[in-house]
Amino acid sequence: MYNPAQTRQLTPHVWMMPGYPNAVIVVGKTGVLAVDTGLGTPNGRIVAAEAKRLAPGRKLYLVTTHFHPEHAAGFGGFPGDTVLIRPRVQQRELVLDHERMVARFAIDNPEVLKNPVFGTPELFDHERDIDLGGVHARAIYAGPAHTAGDTSVFIPEDSVLVTGDTIQNRFGPTFLGGGIGPAPWLATVKRLAVLKPKLIIPDHTQPGPGARIIADEEAILSEMVTRTAAAKKAGQTREQAIASVMKTIRAERPGWNIGPLADDGVARAYDAAK
């Protein structure tokens, strides 16, 4: 559960509640935006209350970075007049796959995910600007990554990019469902890189300098693509390529958290390689 006492201000308009995932609150003169709900209604209620505390009386908006339950299933804790915003592709993915993902997460969190509410959003295709009064938040769908509908939020006045699971800080990319490989994920990261954010706030890792975190993410995804293609061309089997490529990638990144789901990226790159 989130602890509001741990909320900290990162830039003039942006606050973060550390947790699973990090919840971000952007405060303007007329509106306030929450990015992600937390896992289930109880966490959503805490995030909404903290947004209202930081910006009393202001219009509340919510953007979900993707459809997984810890990011989107807490809408039941938000007031009924909250403006929920999602890209069309994320909403489509939610409708098709949320029951399977809720069942997966509910194994360890049955009470928190009892009767989850995802809400009915206003939809956009590529970008939606949210005017909060003196500060803007741009919800951006740049392409598939961790899921088909990953969404980032850019706050230009503070040069902050909230990246969800698309760009993490020294954390191996998590390939989970959707069949998305490292090549399309890399293309999405490159589209976000043109924003040149000074600060990145990921969902499951610590905030950090935008240039370094983006470069790290581009490098690991690029290596998955190029090294896997070379391994396949050299005659390695799929299993051999996974083992050899990931052994090298992990060895070159001491201190990183690169879990077993990163291996699936090599598997997908192998299947896509000529």
Side-chain angles (χ1 to χ4, degrees):
M1 299 289 285
Y2 289 113
N3 179 359
Q6 296 178 348
T7 302
R8 66 183 192 267
Q9 187 173 7
L10 301 180
T11 65
H13 301 97
V14 179
W15 280 254
M16 186 185 84
M17 296 179 68
Y20 181 76
N22 298 324
V24 175
I25 298 171
V26 186
V27 177
K29 295 177 182 178
T30 59
V32 56
L33 168 69
V35 183
D36 284 345
T37 67
L39 188 65
T41 296
N43 279 297
R45 189 174 294 117
I46 296 170
V47 175
E50 188 68 354
K52 287 292 189 180
R53 182 189 72 81
L54 291 170
R58 276 161 265 190
K59 190 174 186 65
L60 178 58
Y61 298 85
L62 172 66
V63 169
T64 55
T65 59
H66 56 290
F67 81 100
H68 289 167
E70 80 272 35
H71 300 270
F75 185 73
F78 280 71
D81 60 352
T82 302
V83 179
L84 173 62
I85 297 169
R86 286 193 190 112
R88 200 174 305 277
V89 63
Q90 183 186 132
Q91 182 65 16
R92 187 182 308 120
E93 191 175 28
L94 187 155
V95 170
L96 293 173
D97 204 26
H98 75 279
E99 291 182 357
R100 180 182 69 88
M101 292 305 299
V102 167
R104 175 174 180 155
F105 278 76
I107 293 171
D108 296 319
N109 305 277
E111 292 302 316
V112 174
L113 280 176
K114 186 179 292 184
N115 301 318
V117 178
F118 289 86
T120 302
E122 295 183 3
L123 300 174
F124 69 95
D125 290 314
H126 302 293
E127 189 170 317
R128 165 76 181 267
D129 184 79
I130 306 166
D131 186 350
L132 300 173
V135 63
H136 295 79
R138 289 165 53 192
I140 301 169
Y141 173 65
H146 175 63
T147 67
D150 284 287
T151 304
S152 297
V153 178
F154 184 55
I155 302 92
E157 290 84 357
D158 292 18
S159 192
V160 171
L161 182 64
V162 185
T163 55
D165 281 24
T166 299
I167 303 174
Q168 296 285 353
N169 190 353
R170 291 177 174 155
F171 187 93
T174 302
F175 295 86
L176 184 65
I180 301 157
W185 191 327
L186 176 61
T188 296
V189 172
K190 287 183 178 295
R191 294 185 194 106
L192 293 171
V194 302
L195 298 169
K196 297 183 179 179
K198 292 180 180 177
L199 178 70
I200 279 181
I201 308 177
D203 270 0
H204 294 295
T205 50
Q206 289 298 309
R212 192 268 298 164
I213 293 177
I214 288 173
D216 283 349
E217 192 78 31
E218 288 182 340
I220 192 171
L221 291 166
S222 179
E223 288 170 27
M224 284 183 170
V225 173
T226 58
R227 289 178 172 174
T228 303
K232 185 173 184 178
K233 187 174 182 179
Q236 290 188 20
T237 66
R238 194 172 189 259
E239 291 70 26
Q240 289 170 336
I242 293 169
S244 64
V245 171
M246 289 310 301
K247 181 179 179 180
T248 301
I249 285 175
R250 288 187 171 98
E252 291 176 347
R253 290 168 172 81
W256 280 51
N257 183 346
I258 304 177
L261 289 176
D263 297 14
D264 289 346
V266 174
R268 295 172 188 183
Y270 188 94
D271 294 342
K274 300 297 185 182

